[in-house]
Coordinates of all heavy atoms in Angstrom, one line a residue:
M162 N -2.7 -15.2 7.2 CA -2.9 -14.2 6.2 C -3.8 -13.1 6.8 O -4.7 -13.3 7.5 CB -3.6 -14.8 5.0 CG -2.8 -15.8 4.2 SD -1.7 -15.0 3.1 CE -2.7 -14.5 1.8
I163 N -3.4 -11.9 6.4 CA -4.2 -10.7 6.8 C -4.3 -9.8 5.6 O -3.5 -9.9 4.6 CB -3.6 -9.9 8.0 CG1 -2.2 -9.4 7.6 CG2 -3.5 -10.8 9.2 CD1 -1.6 -8.4 8.7
R164 N -5.3 -8.9 5.7 CA -5.5 -7.8 4.6 C -5.7 -6.5 5.3 O -6.5 -6.5 6.3 CB -6.6 -8.2 3.7 CG -6.7 -7.2 2.5 CD -7.7 -7.7 1.4 NE -7.6 -6.9 0.2 CZ -6.9 -7.1 -0.8 NH1 -6.1 -8.1 -0.8 NH2 -7.0 -6.3 -1.9
K165 N -5.1 -5.5 4.9 CA -5.2 -4.1 5.5 C -5.6 -3.1 4.4 O -5.2 -3.2 3.2 CB -3.9 -3.7 6.1 CG -3.3 -4.6 7.2 CD -4.1 -4.5 8.4 CE -3.4 -5.3 9.5 NZ -3.9 -5.1 10.8
H166 N -6.5 -2.2 4.8 CA -6.8 -1.1 3.9 C -6.1 0.1 4.6 O -6.2 0.3 5.8 CB -8.3 -0.8 3.9 CG -8.7 0.4 3.2 ND1 -9.0 1.6 3.8 CD2 -8.9 0.6 1.8 CE1 -9.3 2.5 2.9 NE2 -9.2 1.9 1.7
V167 N -5.4 1.0 3.8 CA -4.7 2.1 4.3 C -5.0 3.3 3.5 O -5.1 3.3 2.3 CB -3.1 1.8 4.2 CG1 -2.3 2.9 4.8 CG2 -2.8 0.4 4.9
V168 N -5.1 4.4 4.2 CA -5.2 5.8 3.6 C -4.0 6.5 4.1 O -3.8 6.7 5.3 CB -6.5 6.5 4.0 CG1 -6.5 7.9 3.4 CG2 -7.7 5.7 3.5
V169 N -3.2 7.0 3.1 CA -2.0 7.8 3.4 C -2.1 9.2 3.0 O -2.6 9.5 1.9 CB -0.8 7.2 2.6 CG1 0.5 7.8 3.1 CG2 -0.7 5.6 2.8
R170 N -1.8 10.1 3.9 CA -1.9 11.5 3.6 C -0.6 12.2 3.8 O 0.2 11.8 4.7 CB -3.0 12.2 4.5 CG -4.4 11.8 4.1 CD -5.4 12.6 4.9 NE -6.8 12.3 4.4 CZ -7.5 11.2 4.7 NH1 -6.9 10.3 5.5 NH2 -8.7 11.0 4.3
G171 N -0.3 13.3 3.1 CA 1.0 14.0 3.1 C 1.3 14.4 1.7 O 0.5 14.6 0.9
R172 N 2.6 14.5 1.5 CA 3.1 14.7 0.1 C 3.3 13.4 -0.5 O 4.4 12.8 -0.5 CB 4.4 15.6 0.1 CG 4.8 16.0 -1.3 CD 6.0 16.9 -1.3 NE 7.2 16.1 -0.9 CZ 8.1 16.5 -0.1 NH1 8.1 17.7 0.5 NH2 9.1 15.7 0.2
V173 N 2.2 12.8 -1.1 CA 2.3 11.4 -1.6 C 1.8 11.3 -3.0 O 1.8 10.2 -3.5 CB 1.5 10.5 -0.6 CG1 2.2 10.3 0.7 CG2 0.0 11.0 -0.4
Q174 N 1.4 12.4 -3.6 CA 1.1 12.3 -5.1 C 2.1 13.1 -5.9 O 2.6 14.2 -5.4 CB -0.3 12.9 -5.3 CG -1.4 11.9 -4.8 CD -2.8 12.2 -5.3 OE1 -3.0 13.0 -6.2 NE2 -3.8 11.6 -4.7
G175 N 2.4 12.7 -7.0 CA 3.4 13.4 -7.9 C 4.8 13.2 -7.5 O 5.7 13.9 -8.0
V176 N 5.1 12.2 -6.6 CA 6.5 12.0 -6.1 C 6.9 10.5 -6.3 O 7.9 10.1 -5.7 CB 6.6 12.5 -4.7 CG1 6.5 14.0 -4.6 CG2 5.6 11.8 -3.8
G177 N 6.1 9.7 -7.0 CA 6.5 8.3 -7.3 C 6.1 7.4 -6.1 O 6.5 6.3 -6.1
F178 N 5.2 7.9 -5.2 CA 4.9 7.1 -4.0 C 4.2 5.8 -4.4 O 4.6 4.7 -3.8 CB 4.0 7.9 -3.1 CG 3.6 7.3 -1.8 CD1 4.5 7.3 -0.8 CD2 2.4 6.6 -1.7 CE1 4.2 6.7 0.5 CE2 2.1 6.0 -0.5 CZ 3.0 6.0 0.6
R179 N 3.3 5.7 -5.3 CA 2.7 4.5 -5.7 C 3.7 3.5 -6.2 O 3.6 2.3 -5.9 CB 1.6 4.7 -6.7 CG 0.4 5.5 -6.2 CD -0.6 5.8 -7.3 NE 0.0 6.7 -8.3 CZ -0.3 6.7 -9.6 NH1 -1.3 6.0 -10.0 NH2 0.3 7.5 -10.4
Y180 N 4.6 3.9 -7.0 CA 5.6 3.0 -7.6 C 6.6 2.5 -6.6 O 7.0 1.3 -6.6 CB 6.2 3.6 -8.8 CG 5.2 3.9 -9.9 CD1 4.6 5.1 -10.0 CD2 4.7 2.8 -10.7 CE1 3.6 5.4 -10.9 CE2 3.7 3.1 -11.6 CZ 3.2 4.3 -11.7 OH 2.2 4.5 -12.6
V181 N 7.0 3.3 -5.7 CA 7.8 2.9 -4.6 C 7.1 1.9 -3.7 O 7.6 0.8 -3.3 CB 8.3 4.1 -3.7 CG1 9.0 3.6 -2.5 CG2 9.3 4.9 -4.6
T182 N 5.8 2.1 -3.5 CA 5.0 1.2 -2.7 C 4.9 -0.1 -3.4 O 5.0 -1.2 -2.7 CB 3.5 1.8 -2.5 OG1 3.7 3.0 -1.8 CG2 2.6 0.9 -1.7
A183 N 4.7 -0.2 -4.7 CA 4.6 -1.4 -5.4 C 6.0 -2.2 -5.3 O 6.0 -3.4 -5.2 CB 4.2 -1.2 -6.9
S184 N 7.0 -1.5 -5.4 CA 8.4 -2.1 -5.2 C 8.5 -2.7 -3.9 O 9.1 -3.8 -3.7 CB 9.4 -1.0 -5.5 OG 10.7 -1.5 -5.3
I185 N 8.1 -2.0 -2.8 CA 8.2 -2.5 -1.5 C 7.3 -3.8 -1.3 O 7.7 -4.7 -0.7 CB 7.8 -1.4 -0.4 CG1 8.8 -0.3 -0.5 CG2 7.7 -2.0 1.0 CD1 8.3 1.0 0.3
A186 N 6.1 -3.7 -1.9 CA 5.2 -4.9 -1.9 C 5.9 -6.1 -2.5 O 5.8 -7.2 -2.0 CB 3.9 -4.6 -2.6
A187 N 6.6 -5.9 -3.7 CA 7.3 -7.0 -4.3 C 8.4 -7.6 -3.4 O 8.6 -8.8 -3.3 CB 7.9 -6.6 -5.6
K188 N 9.1 -6.7 -2.7 CA 10.1 -7.1 -1.8 C 9.6 -8.0 -0.7 O 10.3 -9.0 -0.3 CB 10.7 -5.8 -1.2 CG 11.7 -6.0 -0.1 CD 12.2 -4.7 0.4 CE 13.1 -4.8 1.6 NZ 13.5 -3.4 2.1
Y189 N 8.4 -7.7 -0.2 CA 7.8 -8.5 0.9 C 6.8 -9.6 0.5 O 6.2 -10.2 1.3 CB 7.2 -7.6 2.0 CG 8.2 -6.8 2.7 CD1 8.3 -5.4 2.5 CD2 9.1 -7.4 3.6 CE1 9.3 -4.7 3.2 CE2 10.1 -6.6 4.2 CZ 10.2 -5.3 4.0 OH 11.1 -4.5 4.7
K190 N 6.7 -9.7 -0.9 CA 5.7 -10.7 -1.4 C 4.3 -10.5 -0.9 O 3.6 -11.4 -0.5 CB 6.2 -12.1 -1.2 CG 7.5 -12.4 -1.8 CD 8.0 -13.8 -1.5 CE 9.2 -14.2 -2.2 NZ 10.3 -13.4 -2.1
V191 N 3.9 -9.2 -1.0 CA 2.5 -8.8 -0.6 C 1.7 -8.5 -1.8 O 2.2 -7.9 -2.8 CB 2.6 -7.5 0.3 CG1 1.3 -6.9 0.6 CG2 3.4 -7.8 1.6
T192 N 0.4 -8.9 -1.8 CA -0.5 -8.6 -2.9 C -1.4 -7.5 -2.6 O -1.5 -7.1 -1.4 CB -1.3 -9.9 -3.3 OG1 -2.2 -10.2 -2.2 CG2 -0.5 -11.1 -3.7
G193 N -2.0 -6.9 -3.6 CA -3.0 -5.8 -3.3 C -2.9 -4.8 -4.4 O -2.6 -5.1 -5.6
W194 N -3.2 -3.5 -4.0 CA -3.1 -2.4 -5.0 C -2.9 -1.1 -4.3 O -3.1 -1.0 -3.1 CB -4.4 -2.4 -5.8 CG -5.7 -2.4 -5.0 CD1 -6.5 -3.5 -4.6 CD2 -6.3 -1.3 -4.3 NE1 -7.5 -3.1 -3.8 CE2 -7.5 -1.8 -3.6 CE3 -6.0 0.1 -4.3 CZ2 -8.3 -0.9 -2.9 CZ3 -6.9 0.9 -3.5 CH2 -8.0 0.4 -2.9
V195 N -2.6 -0.1 -5.1 CA -2.4 1.3 -4.6 C -2.9 2.2 -5.6 O -2.8 2.0 -6.8 CB -0.9 1.6 -4.2 CG1 0.0 1.4 -5.4 CG2 -0.7 2.9 -3.5
R196 N -3.6 3.3 -5.2 CA -4.1 4.3 -6.2 C -4.1 5.7 -5.5 O -4.2 5.8 -4.3 CB -5.4 3.9 -6.7 CG -6.5 4.0 -5.6 CD -7.9 3.6 -6.2 NE -8.8 3.5 -5.1 CZ -9.9 2.7 -5.2 NH1 -10.2 2.1 -6.3 NH2 -10.8 2.7 -4.2
N197 N -4.1 6.7 -6.4 CA -4.3 8.1 -5.9 C -5.8 8.3 -5.7 O -6.6 7.8 -6.4 CB -3.7 9.1 -7.0 CG -2.2 9.2 -7.0 OD1 -1.5 8.8 -6.1 ND2 -1.7 9.7 -8.1
C198 N -6.1 9.2 -4.8 CA -7.4 9.6 -4.5 C -7.6 11.1 -4.9 O -6.6 11.8 -5.0 CB -7.8 9.5 -3.1 SG -7.7 7.7 -2.5
F199 N -8.8 11.5 -5.2 CA -9.0 12.9 -5.6 C -8.7 13.9 -4.6 O -8.4 15.1 -4.9 CB -10.5 13.0 -6.1 CG -10.8 12.3 -7.4 CD1 -11.6 11.2 -7.3 CD2 -10.2 12.7 -8.6 CE1 -11.9 10.5 -8.5 CE2 -10.5 12.0 -9.7 CZ -11.3 10.9 -9.7
D200 N -8.7 13.6 -3.3 CA -8.4 14.5 -2.3 C -6.9 14.7 -2.0 O -6.5 15.4 -1.0 CB -9.2 14.1 -1.0 CG -8.7 12.8 -0.3 OD1 -7.8 12.2 -0.9 OD2 -9.2 12.5 0.7
G201 N -6.1 14.1 -2.8 CA -4.6 14.2 -2.6 C -4.0 13.1 -1.8 O -2.8 13.0 -1.7
S202 N -4.8 12.2 -1.2 CA -4.3 11.1 -0.5 C -4.0 9.9 -1.4 O -4.3 10.0 -2.6 CB -5.3 10.7 0.6 OG -6.5 10.2 0.0
V203 N -3.4 8.9 -0.8 CA -3.2 7.6 -1.6 C -3.9 6.5 -0.7 O -3.8 6.5 0.5 CB -1.7 7.4 -1.8 CG1 -1.5 5.9 -2.3 CG2 -1.1 8.4 -2.7
E204 N -4.6 5.6 -1.4 CA -5.3 4.5 -0.8 C -4.6 3.2 -1.3 O -4.2 3.1 -2.4 CB -6.7 4.6 -1.2 CG -7.6 3.5 -0.7 CD -9.0 3.6 -1.3 OE1 -9.2 4.0 -2.4 OE2 -9.9 3.1 -0.5
L205 N -4.5 2.3 -0.4 CA -4.0 1.0 -0.8 C -4.6 -0.1 0.1 O -5.2 0.1 1.1 CB -2.4 0.9 -0.6 CG -1.8 1.0 0.8 CD1 -1.6 -0.4 1.3 CD2 -0.5 1.8 0.7
E206 N -4.5 -1.3 -0.5 CA -4.8 -2.6 0.2 C -3.7 -3.5 0.1 O -3.1 -3.6 -1.0 CB -6.1 -3.2 -0.3 CG -7.4 -2.4 0.0 CD -8.7 -3.1 -0.4 OE1 -8.6 -4.3 -0.8 OE2 -9.7 -2.5 -0.3
A207 N -3.3 -4.2 1.2 CA -2.2 -5.1 1.2 C -2.6 -6.4 1.9 O -3.2 -6.4 2.9 CB -1.0 -4.5 1.9
Q208 N -2.2 -7.5 1.3 CA -2.5 -8.8 1.8 C -1.3 -9.7 1.8 O -0.6 -9.7 0.8 CB -3.7 -9.5 1.0 CG -4.1 -10.8 1.4 CD -5.3 -11.3 0.7 OE1 -6.4 -10.6 0.8 NE2 -5.3 -12.4 0.0
G209 N -1.2 -10.5 2.8 CA -0.1 -11.5 2.8 C 0.1 -12.1 4.2 O -0.8 -11.9 5.1
A210 N 1.2 -12.7 4.5 CA 1.5 -13.2 5.8 C 1.6 -12.0 6.7 O 2.1 -11.0 6.4 CB 2.8 -14.0 5.8
E211 N 1.1 -12.2 8.0 CA 1.0 -11.1 8.9 C 2.4 -10.4 9.1 O 2.4 -9.1 9.0 CB 0.5 -11.6 10.3 CG 0.3 -10.4 11.2 CD -0.3 -10.8 12.5 OE1 -0.7 -12.0 12.7 OE2 -0.5 -9.9 13.4
H212 N 3.5 -11.1 9.3 CA 4.7 -10.4 9.5 C 5.2 -9.7 8.2 O 5.8 -8.6 8.3 CB 5.8 -11.4 9.9 CG 6.2 -12.4 8.9 ND1 5.5 -13.5 8.5 CD2 7.4 -12.5 8.1 CE1 6.1 -14.2 7.6 NE2 7.3 -13.6 7.3
R213 N 4.9 -10.2 7.0 CA 5.3 -9.5 5.8 C 4.5 -8.2 5.6 O 5.0 -7.2 5.2 CB 5.1 -10.5 4.6 CG 6.1 -11.6 4.6 CD 5.9 -12.5 3.3 NE 6.8 -13.6 3.3 CZ 8.0 -13.5 2.8 NH1 8.5 -12.3 2.4 NH2 8.8 -14.5 2.8
V214 N 3.2 -8.3 5.8 CA 2.3 -7.1 5.7 C 2.8 -6.1 6.7 O 2.9 -4.9 6.4 CB 0.8 -7.4 5.9 CG1 0.0 -6.2 5.9 CG2 0.4 -8.4 4.7
E215 N 3.1 -6.4 7.9 CA 3.5 -5.5 8.9 C 4.8 -4.8 8.5 O 5.0 -3.6 8.7 CB 3.6 -6.1 10.3 CG 2.3 -6.6 10.9 CD 1.3 -5.5 11.1 OE1 1.7 -4.3 11.3 OE2 0.1 -5.7 11.0
M216 N 5.8 -5.6 8.0 CA 7.1 -5.0 7.6 C 6.8 -4.1 6.4 O 7.4 -3.0 6.3 CB 8.1 -6.1 7.2 CG 8.6 -6.8 8.4 SD 9.9 -8.0 8.1 CE 9.1 -9.2 6.9
F217 N 6.0 -4.5 5.5 CA 5.6 -3.7 4.3 C 5.0 -2.3 4.8 O 5.4 -1.2 4.3 CB 4.6 -4.4 3.4 CG 3.8 -3.6 2.5 CD1 4.4 -3.2 1.3 CD2 2.5 -3.2 2.7 CE1 3.7 -2.4 0.4 CE2 1.8 -2.4 1.8 CZ 2.4 -2.0 0.6
L218 N 4.0 -2.4 5.7 CA 3.4 -1.1 6.2 C 4.4 -0.2 6.9 O 4.3 1.0 6.7 CB 2.2 -1.5 7.1 CG 1.0 -2.2 6.4 CD1 0.0 -2.5 7.4 CD2 0.4 -1.3 5.3
Q219 N 5.3 -0.8 7.6 CA 6.3 0.0 8.4 C 7.2 0.7 7.4 O 7.4 1.9 7.6 CB 7.1 -0.9 9.3 CG 8.1 -0.2 10.1 CD 8.8 -1.1 11.1 OE1 8.8 -2.3 10.9 NE2 9.5 -0.5 12.0
E220 N 7.6 0.0 6.3 CA 8.5 0.7 5.4 C 7.7 1.8 4.6 O 8.2 2.9 4.3 CB 9.1 -0.3 4.4 CG 10.2 0.2 3.6 CD 11.1 -0.8 3.0 OE1 11.2 -2.0 3.5 OE2 11.7 -0.5 1.9
V221 N 6.5 1.5 4.1 CA 5.7 2.4 3.4 C 5.4 3.7 4.2 O 5.5 4.8 3.8 CB 4.4 1.8 2.9 CG1 3.4 2.8 2.3 CG2 4.7 0.7 1.8
S222 N 5.1 3.5 5.5 CA 4.7 4.6 6.4 C 5.9 5.6 6.6 O 5.7 6.7 7.0 CB 4.2 4.1 7.7 OG 5.2 3.5 8.5
A223 N 7.1 5.1 6.4 CA 8.3 5.9 6.6 C 8.5 7.0 5.5 O 9.2 7.9 5.7 CB 9.5 5.1 6.7
G224 N 7.8 6.8 4.4 CA 7.9 7.7 3.2 C 9.3 7.4 2.6 O 9.9 6.4 2.8
N225 N 9.8 8.4 1.9 CA 11.1 8.3 1.3 C 11.6 9.8 1.1 O 11.0 10.7 1.6 CB 11.1 7.5 0.0 CG 10.2 8.1 -1.1 OD1 10.2 9.3 -1.3 ND2 9.4 7.3 -1.7
R226 N 12.7 9.9 0.3 CA 13.3 11.3 0.2 C 12.4 12.2 -0.6 O 12.6 13.4 -0.5 CB 14.7 11.2 -0.4 CG 14.8 10.7 -1.8 CD 16.2 10.6 -2.2 NE 16.3 10.2 -3.6 CZ 17.2 10.5 -4.4 NH1 18.2 11.2 -3.9 NH2 17.2 10.1 -5.7
F227 N 11.5 11.7 -1.3 CA 10.6 12.6 -2.1 C 9.2 12.7 -1.4 O 8.6 13.7 -1.5 CB 10.4 12.0 -3.5 CG 11.7 11.9 -4.3 CD1 12.2 10.7 -4.6 CD2 12.4 13.1 -4.6 CE1 13.5 10.6 -5.2 CE2 13.6 13.0 -5.3 CZ 14.1 11.7 -5.6
A228 N 8.7 11.6 -0.9 CA 7.4 11.6 -0.3 C 7.5 11.8 1.2 O 8.4 11.5 1.9 CB 6.7 10.2 -0.5
R229 N 6.4 12.5 1.7 CA 6.3 12.7 3.2 C 5.0 12.2 3.6 O 3.9 12.6 3.1 CB 6.5 14.2 3.5 CG 6.4 14.5 5.0 CD 6.3 16.0 5.3 NE 4.9 16.4 5.0 CZ 4.6 17.3 4.0 NH1 5.5 17.7 3.2 NH2 3.3 17.6 3.8
V230 N 5.0 11.3 4.6 CA 3.8 10.7 5.1 C 3.4 11.5 6.4 O 4.2 11.5 7.4 CB 3.9 9.2 5.4 CG1 2.7 8.7 6.1 CG2 4.2 8.5 4.1
D231 N 2.2 12.2 6.4 CA 1.7 12.9 7.6 C 0.8 12.0 8.4 O 0.8 12.1 9.6 CB 1.0 14.2 7.2 CG 2.0 15.2 6.5 OD1 3.2 15.1 6.8 OD2 1.5 16.0 5.8
S232 N 0.0 11.2 7.7 CA -0.9 10.3 8.5 C -1.1 9.0 7.7 O -0.9 9.0 6.5 CB -2.3 11.0 8.7 OG -3.0 11.0 7.6
F233 N -1.3 7.9 8.5 CA -1.3 6.6 8.0 C -2.4 5.8 8.7 O -2.2 5.4 9.8 CB 0.1 6.0 8.2 CG 0.4 4.8 7.4 CD1 0.8 5.0 6.1 CD2 0.4 3.5 7.9 CE1 1.2 3.9 5.3 CE2 0.8 2.4 7.1 CZ 1.2 2.6 5.8
E234 N -3.6 5.8 8.1 CA -4.8 5.2 8.7 C -4.9 3.7 8.2 O -5.2 3.5 7.1 CB -6.0 6.0 8.4 CG -5.9 7.4 8.9 CD -7.0 8.3 8.2 OE1 -8.0 7.7 7.7 OE2 -6.9 9.5 8.3
V235 N -4.8 2.8 9.1 CA -4.9 1.3 8.8 C -6.1 0.7 9.4 O -6.4 0.9 10.5 CB -3.6 0.6 9.3 CG1 -3.6 -0.9 8.9 CG2 -2.3 1.3 8.8
T236 N -6.8 -0.1 8.5 CA -8.0 -0.8 8.9 C -7.9 -2.3 8.5 O -7.4 -2.5 7.4 CB -9.3 -0.2 8.2 OG1 -9.3 1.2 8.5 CG2 -10.5 -0.8 8.8
D237 N -8.3 -3.2 9.3 CA -8.4 -4.6 8.9 C -9.6 -4.8 8.0 O -10.7 -4.3 8.3 CB -8.6 -5.5 10.2 CG -7.3 -5.5 11.1 OD1 -6.2 -5.4 10.6 OD2 -7.5 -5.5 12.3
I238 N -9.4 -5.6 7.0 CA -10.5 -5.9 6.0 C -10.5 -7.4 5.7 O -9.4 -8.0 5.9 CB -10.5 -5.0 4.8 CG1 -9.2 -5.1 4.0 CG2 -10.8 -3.6 5.1 CD1 -9.1 -4.4 2.7
P239 N -11.5 -7.9 5.1 CA -11.6 -9.3 4.8 C -10.6 -9.7 3.6 O -10.2 -8.8 2.8 CB -13.0 -9.6 4.2 CG -13.8 -8.4 4.8 CD -12.9 -7.3 4.9
L240 N -10.1 -10.9 3.7 CA -9.2 -11.4 2.7 C -9.8 -11.5 1.3 O -11.0 -11.6 1.2 CB -8.7 -12.8 3.0 CG -7.8 -12.9 4.3 CD1 -7.6 -14.4 4.6 CD2 -6.5 -12.1 4.2
V241 N -9.0 -11.3 0.2 CA -9.4 -11.5 -1.1 C -8.8 -12.9 -1.6 O -7.7 -13.2 -1.3 CB -8.9 -10.4 -2.0 CG1 -9.1 -10.7 -3.5 CG2 -9.6 -9.1 -1.6
S242 N -9.6 -13.6 -2.4 CA -9.1 -14.9 -2.9 C -7.8 -14.8 -3.7 O -7.7 -13.8 -4.5 CB -10.2 -15.5 -3.8 OG -9.7 -16.6 -4.5
A243 N -6.9 -15.7 -3.4 CA -5.6 -15.7 -4.2 C -5.8 -15.9 -5.7 O -5.0 -15.5 -6.5 CB -4.7 -16.7 -3.6
V244 N -7.0 -16.5 -6.0 CA -7.3 -16.7 -7.5 C -7.6 -15.3 -8.1 O -7.2 -15.1 -9.3 CB -8.5 -17.6 -7.6 CG1 -9.0 -17.7 -9.0 CG2 -8.2 -19.0 -7.1
K245 N -8.2 -14.4 -7.4 CA -8.5 -13.1 -7.9 C -7.3 -12.1 -7.9 O -7.3 -11.2 -8.7 CB -9.7 -12.5 -7.1 CG -11.0 -13.1 -7.3 CD -12.1 -12.4 -6.6 CE -13.4 -12.9 -6.8 NZ -14.5 -12.2 -6.1
E246 N -6.4 -12.3 -7.0 CA -5.3 -11.4 -6.8 C -4.0 -12.1 -6.7 O -3.8 -12.7 -5.6 CB -5.6 -10.5 -5.6 CG -4.6 -9.4 -5.4 CD -5.0 -8.5 -4.2 OE1 -4.8 -8.9 -3.1 OE2 -5.7 -7.5 -4.4
K247 N -3.1 -12.0 -7.6 CA -1.9 -12.7 -7.6 C -0.7 -11.7 -7.4 O 0.4 -12.2 -7.1 CB -1.7 -13.4 -8.9 CG -2.7 -14.5 -9.1 CD -2.5 -15.3 -10.4 CE -3.6 -16.2 -10.8 NZ -3.8 -17.3 -10.0
H248 N -0.9 -10.4 -7.6 CA 0.2 -9.5 -7.6 C -0.2 -8.2 -6.9 O -1.4 -8.0 -6.6 CB 0.7 -9.1 -9.0 CG 1.0 -10.2 -9.9 ND1 2.1 -11.0 -9.7 CD2 0.3 -10.8 -10.9 CE1 2.1 -12.0 -10.6 NE2 1.0 -11.9 -11.3
F249 N 0.7 -7.3 -6.7 CA 0.4 -5.9 -6.2 C 0.5 -5.1 -7.4 O 1.4 -5.1 -8.2 CB 1.5 -5.5 -5.2 CG 1.1 -4.3 -4.4 CD1 0.4 -4.4 -3.2 CD2 1.3 -3.0 -4.9 CE1 0.1 -3.3 -2.5 CE2 1.0 -1.9 -4.2 CZ 0.3 -2.0 -3.0
R250 N -0.5 -4.2 -7.6 CA -0.6 -3.4 -8.8 C -0.9 -1.9 -8.5 O -1.5 -1.6 -7.5 CB -1.6 -3.9 -9.8 CG -3.0 -3.8 -9.3 CD -4.0 -4.7 -10.1 NE -5.4 -4.4 -9.8 CZ -6.0 -4.8 -8.7 NH1 -5.4 -5.5 -7.8 NH2 -7.3 -4.5 -8.5
V251 N -0.4 -1.1 -9.3 CA -0.7 0.3 -9.3 C -2.0 0.5 -10.1 O -2.0 0.1 -11.3 CB 0.4 1.2 -9.8 CG1 0.1 2.7 -9.9 CG2 1.7 1.0 -9.0
T252 N -3.0 1.1 -9.5 CA -4.3 1.4 -10.3 C -4.5 2.9 -10.4 O -3.8 3.7 -9.8 CB -5.5 0.7 -9.6 OG1 -5.7 1.3 -8.3 CG2 -5.3 -0.8 -9.4
Y253 N -5.4 3.2 -11.3 CA -5.7 4.6 -11.6 C -7.2 4.9 -11.3 O -8.0 4.1 -11.4 CB -5.3 4.9 -13.0 CG -3.9 4.6 -13.3 CD1 -3.5 3.4 -13.8 CD2 -2.9 5.5 -13.0 CE1 -2.2 3.1 -14.0 CE2 -1.6 5.2 -13.2 CZ -1.2 4.0 -13.7 OH 0.1 3.7 -13.9

């Protein structure tokens, strides 16, 4: 199990990026959260099996037809207990 903290910059607010990210997380069975930041970036944390988190991050970093990812800063962080976090959620 691994957990990553990510800051995404580009055209990532107002284009459904958080909801697409949550959908991708469900696809790979990754837990965590995603939220908009005041500076126009999007911040997220993702936790799961290493190969699942890596596939999730690869797909999220590609953006989509509405979102454009200019930078993708990834940091390793400590795991969160599975008791505290069971799903991936969009926060505000």
Side-chain angles (χ1 to χ4, degrees):
M162 293 280 281
I163 62 171
R164 187 172 186 92
K165 303 284 185 174
H166 175 263
V167 183
V168 177
V169 187
R170 290 187 173 78
R172 190 178 66 223
V173 291
Q174 287 194 15
V176 292
F178 184 82
R179 291 176 298 153
Y180 297 96
V181 170
T182 299
S184 175
I185 296 168
K188 174 181 172 181
Y189 291 110
K190 297 178 175 54
V191 171
T192 64
W194 52 264
V195 61
R196 68 180 172 203
N197 285 342
C198 298
F199 292 112
D200 66 358
S202 65
V203 169
E204 178 182 31
L205 68 93
E206 289 187 6
Q208 178 171 303
E211 185 172 358
H212 70 284
R213 291 183 180 277
V214 172
E215 293 300 330
M216 290 187 300
F217 163 79
L218 293 176
Q219 184 177 15
E220 194 166 331
V221 171
S222 70
N225 59 48
R226 66 185 185 150
F227 301 110
R229 183 191 73 249
V230 174
D231 293 336
S232 71
F233 200 76
E234 302 165 16
V235 181
T236 308
D237 294 324
I238 58 174
L240 295 173
V241 169
S242 167
V244 172
K245 289 185 177 182
E246 184 177 81
K247 297 182 191 290
H248 307 289
F249 193 94
R250 67 192 189 286
V251 175
T252 65
Y253 302 93

